[in-house]
Amino acid sequence: MSDARAAAEKADEKSADRLTTLSDGIFAIAMTLLVLDLHVEPGLDKEKFTDAVRQAVPDLGAYALSFTILAGFWRDHRLIVRLVPRFEGVALRFALMWLGAIALVPFPTALLSEYAARPLTVAVYASMVAVTNLLELAMFLTGRRATEHATEASRGDVGRAVTADLGLTAALFAATVPVAYLVSPVAAMWCWLALVPIKLTLTHRKRATARRHGRAS
């Protein structure tokens, strides 16, 4: 029985490694696809070249925004994997749905770069970020219930900081959807910029809590 259990644990470890490898690959592809909308036609004269560069500014803004968001998701994922080393069952399903949402990020980014003045575009982008946060939160919470795999830190201050960060970020982005329709898409996007200090505060709190727990351990 001990040999069978050891073989099963080894298989689980390989499965976890494969999931991590898949996650890193999807992030790399999604981040790379963001660059595809950044281009300036060759052979332009000085005036047309200046106009082309000016028109590329929204594309650069959408790229920078989505790359930053993806980087945040990737960073959170690395922490969650340390807190919950193995995902299976419902948690694994949420992990796969979350990766599907990550792979979809280039699509609303392309919409934002071309149709930022339309409320539907801003609503789609904000909803995408909110849903992706909720899927990552569901992945973490369901994975944490597997007590044989989850660490003590996942149920302590570190876990609460991760939960607060993901939950509040999802709520804040979702709150900008009605702003896009009732006020303006520009106002909604300015709200996203206003979320930056809030997100930085939550991230600092999460990292500080993780460092304190690491020293205590």
Side-chain angles (χ1 to χ4, degrees), residues 7-216:
E9 290 179 354
K10 187 175 181 179
D12 286 340
E13 291 176 359
K14 290 182 178 179
S15 178
D17 290 340
R18 286 195 293 268
L19 179 60
T20 301
T21 302
L22 175 64
S23 302
D24 289 343
I26 288 177
F27 271 100
I29 293 172
M31 288 175 166
T32 303
L33 288 176
L34 296 176
V35 186
L36 295 181
D37 287 331
L38 302 177
H39 66 277
V40 174
E41 296 181 7
L44 300 177
D45 58 31
K46 182 178 179 180
E47 183 177 352
K48 290 182 178 179
F49 173 75
T50 302
D51 291 339
V53 172
R54 188 180 299 112
Q55 292 173 7
V57 171
D59 295 340
L60 287 169
Y63 164 79
L65 174 63
S66 293
F67 190 93
T68 302
I69 288 174
L70 284 175
F73 280 129
W74 181 82
R75 184 183 60 244
D76 290 342
H77 176 64
R78 307 303 287 184
L79 175 58
I80 289 174
V81 168
R82 291 199 298 271
L83 296 175
V84 185
R86 195 180 308 163
F87 291 92
E88 52 193 22
V90 177
L92 180 59
R93 294 187 184 94
F94 276 123
L96 293 175
M97 286 189 288
W98 175 70
L99 289 175
I102 292 296
L104 192 62
V105 168
F107 171 67
T109 302
L111 288 180
L112 191 66
S113 65
E114 296 292 338
Y115 302 102
R118 301 187 181 182
L120 179 59
T121 297
V122 175
V124 167
Y125 193 94
S127 298
M128 178 274 299
V129 178
V131 169
T132 307
N133 271 277
L134 290 176
L135 287 172
E136 190 172 26
L137 177 59
M139 174 184 71
F140 172 63
L141 294 179
T142 54
R144 190 174 63 176
R145 292 176 185 173
T147 55
E148 59 185 278
H149 303 317
T151 62
E152 289 299 325
S154 68
R155 303 182 190 87
D157 292 339
V158 181
R160 285 190 287 272
V162 171
T163 301
D165 185 6
L166 294 174
L168 285 175
T169 303
L172 291 170
F173 267 92
T176 64
V177 173
V179 174
Y181 284 98
L182 299 178
V183 184
S184 72
V186 175
M189 287 186 284
W190 275 110
C191 289
W192 296 346
L193 294 179
L195 296 178
V196 171
I198 299 175
K199 181 68 174 177
L200 290 176
T201 301
L202 292 172
T203 300
H204 175 74
R205 174 190 170 192
K206 185 170 54 182
R207 289 180 176 177
T209 304
R211 285 196 295 269
R212 286 198 302 270
H213 184 272
R215 287 195 296 267

